[in-house]
């Protein structure tokens, strides 16, 4: 029974961390692909996504090695880091789901004003000019600008912003619950004796 419980916890923890490794590699791959094909020209956005992906990869790798070797120190630090990630991710996901339209518009405008590269990306992909008003004497990356048929980007962004925030919030909540599951599995697994080891060697 002890062996079965130990093996079950080990396999569950390994499977969870393999999932995290796959998600991290997917994030890095998508960010690099978007940059290479010119879908996203902002280095900050690409760098941020790749940074999160690399961080998740190393956390998952530590958890995977700790689970396979039943390494007490690695499992302890993995559990602490995963709990902190859970707190941050749960808070951000809840904020995404709870944000109202006025706050949403304010955040979009702040984000728009902070990066000229992002402005060009949005104007080009959504075929719009300006955030809340279009300057006909200015420059715009959208094809419609040459024909003076552009609408403002705020209207187009707001059509999908609410759906995107709900989607991101929902995905974030889902993964935050897998993280708290990982914390519980790690705590349980750390306190189980390895039936293959010398019982007197377990602290």
């Amino acid at each position: 029974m002890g062996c079965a419980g130990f093996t079950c916890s080990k396999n569950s923890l390994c499977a969870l961390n393999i999932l995290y490794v796959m998600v991290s590699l997917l994030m890095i791959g998508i960010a690099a692909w978007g940059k290479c094909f010119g879908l996203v020209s902002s280095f900050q956005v690409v760098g941020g996504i790749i940074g999160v992906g690399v961080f998740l990869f190393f956390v998952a790798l530590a958890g995977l090695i700790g689970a396979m070797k039943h390494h007490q120190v690695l499992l302890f630090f993995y559990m602490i880091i995963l709990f902190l990630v859970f707190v941050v991710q749960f808070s951000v996901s809840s904020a995404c789901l709870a944000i109202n339209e006025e706050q949403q518009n304010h955040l979009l405008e702040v984000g728009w004003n902070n990066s000229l590269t992002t402005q060009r990306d949005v104007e080009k992909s959504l075929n719009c000019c300006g955030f809340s008003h279009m300057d006909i004497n200015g420059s715009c990356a959208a094809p419609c600008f040459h024909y003076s048929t552009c609408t403002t980007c705020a209207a187009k962004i707001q059509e999908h912003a609410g759906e995107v925030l709900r989607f991101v919030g929902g995905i974030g909540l889902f993964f935050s619950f897998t993280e708290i599951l990982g914390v519980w599995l790690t705590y349980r697994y750390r306190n189980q004796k390895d039936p293959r080891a010398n019982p007197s060697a377990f602290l």
Side-chain angles (χ1 to χ4, degrees):
M1 181 71 180
C3 183
F6 179 86
T7 305
C8 180
S9 296
K10 178 180 178 180
N11 291 342
S12 299
L13 204 52
C14 285
L16 189 64
N17 282 290
I18 289 169
L19 173 65
Y20 288 154
V21 167
M22 291 171 64
V23 170
S24 68
L25 292 175
L26 185 66
M27 288 174 68
I28 294 168
I30 289 174
W33 177 77
K35 182 66 176 173
C36 288
F37 284 89
L39 299 176
V40 181
S41 58
S42 173
F43 181 77
Q44 289 89 344
V45 173
V46 174
I49 295 172
I50 290 177
V52 171
V54 170
F55 173 76
L56 180 60
F57 176 80
F58 281 112
V59 170
L61 196 63
L64 192 58
I65 294 170
M68 291 177 71
K69 294 183 177 291
H70 200 233
H71 196 289
Q72 295 290 310
V73 177
L74 264 181
L75 288 171
F76 173 76
F77 282 108
Y78 169 76
M79 184 171 62
I80 297 299
I81 292 169
L82 201 63
F83 180 73
L84 293 175
V85 171
F86 160 76
V87 171
V88 173
Q89 190 167 317
F90 184 81
S91 303
V92 172
S93 300
S94 300
C96 285
L97 293 171
I99 192 170
N100 60 40
E101 191 174 342
E102 184 180 345
Q103 293 169 327
Q104 177 182 303
N105 292 341
H106 175 69
L107 288 174
L108 287 171
E109 189 166 5
V110 169
W112 177 272
N113 292 330
N114 280 343
S115 174
L116 290 173
T117 309
T118 302
Q119 289 179 24
R120 286 196 295 270
D121 287 340
V122 173
E123 287 174 344
K124 194 174 179 180
S125 59
L126 295 182
N127 198 25
C128 58
C129 287
F131 184 75
S132 54
H133 67 277
M134 184 178 68
D135 184 5
I136 57 174
N137 297 318
S139 61
C140 179
C144 64
F145 185 71
H146 303 291
Y147 306 103
S148 301
T149 57
C150 292
T151 57
T152 59
C153 292
K156 291 196 173 184
I157 294 172
Q158 286 161 3
E159 286 178 15
H160 307 289
E163 294 175 10
V164 170
L165 283 171
R166 284 192 293 273
F167 176 77
V168 170
I171 293 292
L173 274 181
F174 170 76
F175 275 103
S176 68
F177 285 118
T178 68
E179 287 155 7
I180 203 66
L181 173 64
V183 171
W184 176 76
L185 279 172
T186 307
Y187 176 79
R188 184 170 178 264
Y189 180 58
R190 273 191 84 237
N191 292 292
Q192 288 177 324
K193 291 185 179 181
D194 188 346
R196 299 166 300 176
N198 181 4
S200 62
F202 184 84
L203 298 178

